[in-house]
């Protein structure tokens, strides 16, 4: 309890800080960086370096109350098909912009619910992307799958187009928790989805879970973890629920009194983590777990783990091209986000221009701090020697921040001339420690809590 009190004093339960899937974070982006900068950066890409592609499908048949993603509900396929037509037009604009010979090393479909697409649209969309950015021979194609919104025909279509990793949205299997978040998903349906995926040769599976949901307790979450282990995923993401009804209005439907309190939430995360590590998973960063033979675990072991908008990744592509409404591209010069609202995105593309609406051009200091934050988030360690090798004397600009971290966090960290290291007991503070390097703190932005 004494250690928990110390963590509390350092902000674990009340600090609101970014998850640092990018640096600077998206609220820092400016409308001064848009479609023109996007086009210039895309045209200047080196065709010898494969790129990653993220494609956003912002449609759901049901809007889960806990979700804060950019989505919209639909009961018909008409707006979905129209949207795919707009994405095809965006791809046509990219075809005129990208350098010849560019290849795709990774593709990820997120949402929303990508599996809202029927087989015909799955084929149409996948082939449209591959026609503009052909895949490399060893590419990875992953898709976020709602087990209640997929069938064998859709899985077959995705497999035919090259899907080799599936990311299953689970959150929690307890019926009372599911009812409280507006997402009914029986275990039997999820298990049948996994069986269909494996029957189609998709052996790489991710499972996404959430702790801190209403009515969750140790017993309920323990039962969910047992069921997840029965499904046999290679990777697990264990995200903390971010209750931000001022951002996602649908979260107002969740009864705040039913949410686990601070310490209970902390204990839920620790219990689930202990279950996964006891089952042979390696702990990856602050909230992921992977089988030792999985690429994510190997990347963490070798020091090549990275962080992007989907969380932790072993993706080595330096560039990410975002397609669709609200998608963010990570380019050599910085970030560009497509218009967030679907209608605004469509309007820009229909006008014959790329959809970039806001972004950020990276300075040398941004690049240094981005790498420092990524080191902390991925490795719980800032390698000062590597930063000096990459950034020269400029790396010394972090020295005041390092001194403040050492003074504030005491024996939760160690600091010497070679590295800053977060000790095991201090790892719950990782996001707070990473925020000490953040030179961009926008006014009025409320991030999710650190625990």
């Amino acid at each position: 309890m004494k250690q928990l009190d110390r963590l509390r004093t350092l902000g674990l339960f009340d600090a609101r800080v970014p998850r640092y899937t990018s640096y600077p974070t998206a609220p820092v982006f400016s409308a001064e960086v848009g479609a023109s900068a996007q086009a210039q950066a895309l045209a200047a890409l080196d065709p010898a370096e494969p790129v990653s592609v993220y494609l956003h499908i912002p449609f759901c048949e049901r809007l889960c109350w806990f979700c804060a993603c950019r989505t919209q509900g639909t009961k018909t396929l008409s707006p979905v098909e129209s949207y795919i037509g707009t994405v095809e037009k965006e791809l046509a604009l990219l075809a005129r912009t990208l350098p010849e010979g560019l290849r795709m090393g990774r593709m990820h479909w997120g949402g929303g619910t990508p599996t809202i697409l029927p087989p015909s649209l799955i084929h149409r969309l996948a082939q449209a992307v591959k026609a503009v950015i052909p895949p490399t021979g060893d590419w990875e194609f992953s898709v976020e799958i709602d087990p209640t919104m997929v069938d064998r025909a859709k899985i077959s279509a995705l497999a035919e187009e090259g899907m080799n990793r599936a990311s299953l949205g689970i959150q929690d299997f307890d019926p009372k928790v599911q009812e409280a978040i507006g997402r009914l998903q029986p275990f039997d349906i999820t298990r049948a989805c996994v069986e269909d995926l494996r029957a189609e040769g998709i052996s790489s599976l991710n499972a996404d879970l959430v702790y801190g949901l209403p009515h969750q307790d140790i017993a309920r979450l323990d039962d969910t973890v047992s069921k997840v282990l029965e499904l046999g995923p290679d990777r697990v993401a264990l995200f903390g629920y971010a209750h931000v009804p001022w951002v996602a209005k649908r979260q107002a439907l969740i009864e705040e009194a039913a949410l686990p309190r601070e310490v209970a939430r902390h204990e839920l995360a620790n219990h689930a983590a202990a279950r996964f590590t006891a089952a042979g998973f390696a702990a990856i960063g602050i909230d992921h777990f992977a089988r030792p033979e999985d690429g994510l675990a190997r990347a963490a072991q070798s020091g090549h783990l990275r962080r992007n908008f989907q969380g932790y990744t072993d993706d080595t592509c330096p560039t990410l091209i975002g397609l669709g409404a609200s998608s963010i591209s990570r380019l050599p010069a910085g970030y560009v986000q497509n218009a967030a609202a679907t209608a605004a995105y469509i309007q820009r593309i229909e006008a014959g221009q790329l959809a970039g609406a806001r972004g950020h051009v990276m300075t040398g200091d941004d690049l240094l701090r981005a790498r420092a934050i990524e080191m902390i988030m991925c490795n719980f360690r800032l390698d000062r020697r590597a930063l000096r090798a990459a950034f020269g004397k400029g790396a010394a600009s972090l020295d005041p921040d390092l001194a403040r971290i050492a003074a504030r966090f005491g024996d939760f960290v160690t600091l010497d001339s070679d590295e800053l290291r977060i000790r095991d007991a201090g790892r719950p503070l990782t996001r707070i420690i990473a925020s000490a390097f953040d030179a961009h703190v926008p006014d009025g932005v409320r991030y999710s809590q650190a625990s």
Side-chain angles (χ1 to χ4, degrees), residues 234-267:
D234 305 278
R235 302 178 186 177
V236 175
L238 180 67
F239 299 119
Y241 168 60
H243 191 63
V244 287
W246 55 88
V247 175
K249 290 182 172 54
R250 74 192 75 162
Q251 289 187 352
L253 297 169
I254 290 179
E255 183 186 356
E256 289 195 27
L259 295 172
R261 299 299 96 186
E262 299 165 346
V263 174
R265 177 185 169 99
H266 182 65
E267 290 172 346

Side-chain angles (χ1 to χ4, degrees), residues 209 211 221 225 238 267-277 289:
L209 305 181
Y211 70 88
L221 185 57
V225 171
L238 180 67
E267 290 172 346
L268 286 168
N270 287 343
H271 181 79
R275 285 290 315 272
F276 285 119
T277 54
F289 303 86

Side-chain angles (χ1 to χ4, degrees), residues 241-433:
Y241 168 60
H243 191 63
V244 287
W246 55 88
V247 175
K249 290 182 172 54
R250 74 192 75 162
Q251 289 187 352
L253 297 169
I254 290 179
E255 183 186 356
E256 289 195 27
L259 295 172
R261 299 299 96 186
E262 299 165 346
V263 174
R265 177 185 169 99
H266 182 65
E267 290 172 346
L268 286 168
N270 287 343
H271 181 79
R275 285 290 315 272
F276 285 119
T277 54
F281 285 77
I284 309 294
I286 62 171
D287 53 17
H288 280 50
F289 303 86
R291 297 285 184 189
E293 65 277 9
D294 183 80
L296 201 64
R298 293 198 304 269
Q301 193 70 27
S302 65
H304 293 96
L305 186 68
R306 305 307 299 265
R307 193 153 170 82
N308 67 12
F309 300 109
Q310 282 75 58
Y312 291 104
T313 181
D314 55 353
D315 183 4
T316 58
C317 297
T319 295
L320 172 68
I321 297 176
L323 300 173
S326 81
S327 288
I328 301 176
S329 294
R330 184 190 67 229
L331 302 163
Y335 299 98
V336 179
Q337 182 176 23
N338 282 356
T342 302
Y345 160 76
I346 292 172
Q347 184 178 35
R348 285 172 179 263
I349 296 298
E350 293 293 341
Q353 65 180 34
L354 292 174
R358 54 199 294 269
H360 181 82
V361 176
M362 299 288 277
T363 65
D365 185 66
D366 289 335
L367 293 170
L368 169 64
R369 291 178 181 275
R371 186 66 190 115
I373 288 172
E374 188 174 48
M375 285 178 171
I376 291 291
M377 295 295 296
C378 290
N379 309 320
F380 306 109
R381 171 179 176 266
L382 186 147
D383 187 338
R384 301 179 75 180
R385 290 174 297 180
L387 289 181
R388 286 193 290 265
F391 296 95
K393 293 180 179 179
S397 65
L398 298 182
D399 289 353
D401 301 310
L402 291 165
R404 283 190 289 269
I405 289 170
R408 178 182 176 188
F409 295 98
D411 60 4
F412 282 131
V413 302
T414 62
L415 175 65
D416 58 33
S417 61
D418 290 334
E419 67 174 15
L420 169 75
R421 182 180 293 273
I422 303 176
R423 290 179 167 174
D424 289 352
R427 290 187 177 184
L429 301 167
T430 297
R431 285 169 59 195
I432 300 174
I433 293 171

Side-chain angles (χ1 to χ4, degrees), residues 70-81:
R70 284 278 184 178
T71 61
Q72 59 194 81
T74 180
K75 294 298 183 183
T76 71
L77 276 175
S78 177
V80 181
E81 187 164 12

